[in-house]
Amino acid sequence: MSKSRKVAGLALVAALLAAPALAGKTGLGREALPEEVAAWDIDVRPDGAGLPPGKGSVRDGEQLYLQQCASCHGEFGEGAGRWPVLVGGQGSLKSEGPEKTIGSFWPYASTTFDYIKRAMPYGNARSLSDDDVYAITAFLLNQNGLVKDDFILTKENFSKVKLPNEQAFYDDDREKAERHFWQKDPCMKNCKPDAKVIGRARMIDVTPEDGKSIKVE
Amino acid sequence: MDQDPQFQKSRRGFLGGLGATAAGLTLAQAGSARAQATPDPAITEIQDWNRYLGDGVAANPYGKPSKFEKHVVRRDVEWLTASRESSVNFTPLHALDGIITPNGLCFERHHGGSPEIDPAKHRLMINGLVDKPLVFTMEDLKRFPGRVNKVFFLECAANGGMEWKGAQLNGCQFTHGMVHNVMYTGIPLKVLLDEAGVKTNGKWIMPEGADSSAMTRSIPIEKAMQDCLVVWGMNGEALRQEQGYPLRIVVPGWEGNMWVKWLRRIEVGDQPWHHREETSKYTDLLADGRSRRFTWIMDAKSVVTSPSPQAPLKFKGPNVLSGLAWSGRGSIRRVDISIDGGKNWQTARLDGPVLPLSLTRFYVDFDWDGREMLIQSRAMDDTGYVQPTKDELRKVRGLNSIYHNNGIQTWLVRSNGETENVEIS
């Protein structure tokens, strides 16, 4: 190979290698078809964006709930055994044992619809129709005392349903509220009185395996 | 504490020097290897492994740890959750060293079980407020320019969540084991978003999983463009199934729940979605009944992994105290150690790479005289954030916030070496 051909060859390689980076878009992948987007894009927002057409009544929701949900979440949403509680807990958030449910804690009703549609019933996700999800959501709102027994939830009236705890949420403010955790020179000597043990995990004894007894040489 | 809880001055360079009582113990060890009365059969007898042939190269096409290490495994706490498919197990931090977590020991948390996904049938869709919604195969993704390898810690926001009301679990595997540190291989999320063309009103993204919980979280576009990755590799090999095979999103420094596994879709929107995992869960209920939301960053934290309840002290004399520190705000600048429950502190030695948003290893080489110790570690990051005590945290957060417990851990080391999780005044 002549010297000039070699040089030209190297230049070509360099150009080839550099090309994709310069092009901006790679052209990789392909355009998603509307049917594909529709199949996966099922998410719902508080403003109602993403809600499918449909409706469901508290009464229909109760039937569906008893068949498909009550075995885990309890007949009244009280949670069977240790499965999640969906109903009640109002007024408990400041107590020692807060109960965080759709009625007591969740800020938006849309979250209930979105979550049930994407993930419930547990182990058989995406098996409910949109009308079923409207009906079950209506039932859970009703059990939480938020809508009447004859209520019918629809795409149109959805965003009118407000949950009582919405205003209690605020954006992370640790950098202000916990400003004192930023310190130039943390104390190194004689920082506090002698420390005393005031609690021991061993007293509660919930660790799966107990520490084996050991020997010091 | 019945003795002066101050540090010893040691020839190994652990300079406490705070008290005059230090003397004896350190020096007693100097230059005095133990005497052996009879010859050690481990030396004088010819061992089987010395005489007979070992395994051939075909015995273990994918190597496993030695059978003598079979106790080094992820463990779970059965009473924690109602279902094993929506549950968690814990990294055995007490048995690991360095900063990289072995793939098979990275803790697991899933909400609908760990799915087995055929990579040939896996797709990533980008849709919403983009110029052109796109679909990628795994092969498409691996052809993208700009591939990167980066080490990041991932910590579940609920790590230590059982300890808000007091010491509960005996072992750093259980109190701190919802963290791992991995080198990921993939591409910046920005590359994919640019390919689709984010519209000017695209302010949030929402990654979504392909599993039966179809996990979703809202992430601001600034973070997505800044340092999020879409990855298929961990520690040099493909992602493990339980870590999101074939694809997951990496959200450096932010709570683990956002690192959606089995990633199949990223939607771009103009508002957050307020989905279940950012309302019902992963919001921090404070004492006044109000709740912080979008508490994404993991604050600086550290833990002594040895000694700890599962790794007690067995010997007097020379010992190595070891632990891990990390911060979601940057790099670890310093770690201090106390053996008297936070009264006096000594700076530990950082070893190995000190990377931003990564676990960082620290050591203190010390001589132990058999005295009781209340061991603590305190991390400081390069923003000047100093890991608070548990009481300082409780003062601002109350007892009900579950998430983001980065308070200083105390281990009581008894004079027989036994170590336990305690709360102190």
Side-chain angles (χ1 to χ4, degrees):
Chain A
M1 201 196 274
S2 79
K3 196 175 172 190
S4 65
R5 267 177 63 198
K6 229 189 231 167
V7 170
L10 282 175
L12 180 63
V13 169
L16 272 175
L17 289 177
L22 295 175
K25 305 237 174 193
T26 64
L28 288 165
R30 62 168 176 85
E31 187 154 5
L33 301 177
E35 301 90 318
E36 294 171 331
V37 173
W40 278 0
D41 186 353
I42 59 164
D43 46 85
V44 179
R45 282 193 330 205
D47 62 358
L51 278 172
K55 63 176 188 327
S57 67
V58 170
R59 253 180 267 288
D60 289 347
E62 178 167 19
Q63 289 314 307
L64 288 160
Y65 180 88
L66 290 174
Q67 288 156 16
Q68 305 229 33
C69 322
S71 60
C72 294
H73 294 293
E75 221 172 299
F76 307 101
E78 77 283 10
R82 301 194 20 260
W83 300 97
V85 178
L86 304 180
V87 169
Q90 279 89 344
S92 73
L93 296 183
K94 288 190 230 174
S95 75
E96 248 180 59
E99 197 147 77
K100 299 194 243 175
T101 73
I102 296 167
S104 70
F105 188 68
W106 293 29
Y108 305 107
S110 59
T111 311
T112 316
F113 188 100
D114 177 87
Y115 184 71
I116 295 170
K117 179 161 175 180
R118 75 175 50 249
M120 289 292 135
Y122 192 63
N124 193 18
R126 300 295 305 270
S127 60
L128 298 169
S129 73
D130 289 338
D131 284 348
D132 290 350
V133 180
Y134 275 106
I136 294 171
T137 304
F139 173 71
L140 288 172
L141 292 171
N142 172 262
Q143 289 295 291
N144 277 292
L146 299 167
V147 300
K148 297 210 179 89
D149 291 352
D150 60 358
F151 184 71
I152 295 173
L153 185 64
T154 68
K155 175 176 159 72
E156 289 68 35
N157 68 12
F158 199 104
S159 46
K160 291 201 193 88
V161 180
K162 297 285 175 211
L163 300 190
N165 200 43
E166 178 180 343
Q167 296 309 321
F169 287 84
Y170 60 100
D171 288 350
D172 186 6
D173 67 344
R174 281 176 291 174
E175 286 175 23
K176 274 201 209 105
E178 301 180 0
R179 189 69 229 161
H180 55 292
F181 292 160
W182 277 264
Q183 296 176 50
K184 258 216 178 77
D185 294 302
C187 175
M188 297 297 283
K189 275 182 196 172
N190 262 320
C191 304
K192 58 185 260 196
D194 284 349
K196 295 226 157 46
V197 173
I198 55 170
R200 299 172 58 200
R202 189 149 293 173
M203 300 311 286
I204 304 164
D205 201 17
V206 286
T207 312
E209 186 194 51
D210 234 293
K212 290 171 218 103
S213 67
I214 43 169
K215 203 176 117 230
V216 175
E217 293 181 29
Chain B
M1 303 292 301
D2 50 4
Q3 293 179 71
D4 180 347
Q6 287 166 349
F7 289 92
Q8 308 298 303
K9 188 168 180 115
S10 151
R11 69 198 151 88
R12 261 166 299 278
F14 178 33
L15 301 177
L18 300 170
T21 56
L25 316 150
T26 312
L27 298 174
Q29 296 296 325
S32 64
R34 278 171 306 162
Q36 179 84 17
T38 51
D40 182 355
I43 297 171
T44 55
E45 286 173 14
I46 294 168
Q47 306 294 331
D48 284 356
W49 54 83
N50 185 203
R51 170 159 295 149
Y52 306 114
L53 299 177
D55 291 340
V57 291
N60 283 304
Y62 194 103
K64 287 197 209 99
S66 157
K67 73 175 184 188
F68 300 103
E69 298 295 319
K70 64 171 185 283
H71 56 288
V72 183
V73 288
R74 296 181 289 219
R75 314 225 12 223
D76 66 315
V77 178
E78 212 173 335
W79 53 265
L80 261 184
T81 50
S83 150
R84 285 299 174 88
E85 289 77 24
S86 172
S87 195
V88 59
N89 61 22
F90 301 87
T91 307
L93 297 178
H94 63 288
L96 302 179
D97 216 327
I99 64 166
I100 294 295
T101 315
N103 286 341
L105 296 177
C106 291
F107 83 94
E108 301 171 67
R109 170 68 170 119
H110 3 90
H111 291 260
S114 156
E116 191 174 81
I117 297 176
D118 177 353
K121 290 190 190 157
H122 191 73
R123 304 285 180 270
L124 176 66
M125 180 187 290
I126 300 192
N127 74 303
L129 297 176
V130 291
D131 297 334
K132 194 177 180 186
L134 294 173
V135 173
F136 302 104
T137 62
M138 288 303 300
E139 284 173 333
D140 293 335
L141 294 172
K142 291 178 181 176
R143 289 168 62 206
F144 262 93
R147 189 181 300 183
V148 293
N149 291 280
K150 292 195 171 181
V151 177
F152 294 114
F153 79 82
L154 178 160
E155 185 184 16
C156 176
N159 200 18
M162 288 83 74
E163 304 281 313
W164 275 104
K165 290 180 186 171
Q168 288 249 355
L169 292 163
N170 248 331
C172 66
Q173 178 165 19
F174 304 108
T175 55
H176 291 76
M178 283 197 266
V179 66
H180 58 62
N181 205 52
V182 161
M183 178 177 278
Y184 295 98
T185 304
I187 46 176
L189 175 56
K190 179 179 191 305
V191 171
L192 294 178
L193 291 173
D194 286 347
E195 186 76 21
V198 173
K199 297 208 160 115
T200 50
N201 57 338
K203 297 292 178 225
W204 293 80
I205 66 150
M206 189 196 71
E208 179 182 72
D211 63 313
S212 74
S213 77
M215 177 66 63
T216 47
R217 286 294 301 255
S218 304
I219 301 175
I221 194 81
E222 295 77 25
K223 178 70 175 175
M225 291 295 196
Q226 185 194 325
D227 62 358
C228 289
L229 307 177
V230 169
V231 305
W232 53 83
M234 64 189 292
N235 293 333
E237 63 179 358
L239 289 173
R240 289 290 168 90
Q241 173 177 318
E242 66 272 27
Q243 304 301 338
Y245 182 85
L247 200 66
R248 94 177 299 172
I249 185 171
V250 165
V251 190
W254 289 18
E255 61 191 18
N257 181 259
M258 306 177 86
W259 300 43
V260 172
K261 300 189 278 193
W262 313 293
L263 179 71
R264 75 162 183 201
R265 190 168 73 95
I266 292 170
E267 185 170 340
V268 180
D270 59 357
Q271 293 170 34
W273 282 261
H274 296 288
H275 277 181
R276 187 248 186 174
E277 303 289 330
E278 51 205 11
T279 54
S280 168
K281 308 294 171 194
Y282 302 98
T283 50
D284 310 347
L285 175 59
L286 303 182
D288 66 0
R290 297 190 308 148
S291 297
R292 280 193 188 127
R293 68 178 174 201
F294 300 155
T295 47
W296 302 307
I297 297 179
M298 300 309 296
D299 279 320
K301 186 165 173 178
S302 66
V303 64
V304 171
T305 53
S306 178
S308 66
Q310 298 157 291
L313 285 183
K314 292 186 187 154
F315 304 97
K316 290 182 187 170
N319 277 289
V320 177
L321 178 151
S322 176
L324 291 164
W326 61 97
S327 168
R329 298 183 188 273
S331 303
I332 290 299
R333 183 196 283 165
R334 198 174 99 192
V335 179
D336 299 324
I337 299 295
S338 173
I339 59 167
D340 59 6
K343 188 171 179 189
N344 295 291
W345 295 89
Q346 189 70 32
T347 298
R349 171 172 66 88
L350 305 184
D351 180 75
V354 178
L355 301 168
L357 314 177
S358 161
L359 295 190
T360 300
R361 176 63 61 176
F362 63 84
Y363 294 107
V364 173
D365 305 313
F366 72 110
D367 276 3
W368 184 49
D369 58 0
R371 73 177 56 186
E372 224 172 73
M373 298 187 285
L374 288 168
I375 294 187
Q376 298 188 328
S377 63
R378 175 177 75 185
M380 218 174 143
D381 70 19
D382 59 2
T383 71
Y385 181 97
V386 179
Q387 184 182 1
T389 65
K390 288 187 176 172
D391 280 341
E392 284 169 335
L393 260 193
R394 289 176 183 132
K395 217 167 173 180
V396 284
R397 309 247 187 103
L399 298 179
N400 287 335
S401 60
I402 301 175
Y403 306 105
H404 294 281
N405 183 353
N406 66 322
I408 288 175
Q409 173 66 43
T410 311
W411 304 129
L412 165 65
V413 180
R414 298 188 169 287
S415 50
N416 66 356
E418 251 179 283
T419 301
E420 59 175 303
N421 178 9
V422 296
E423 283 282 329
I424 56 165
S425 59

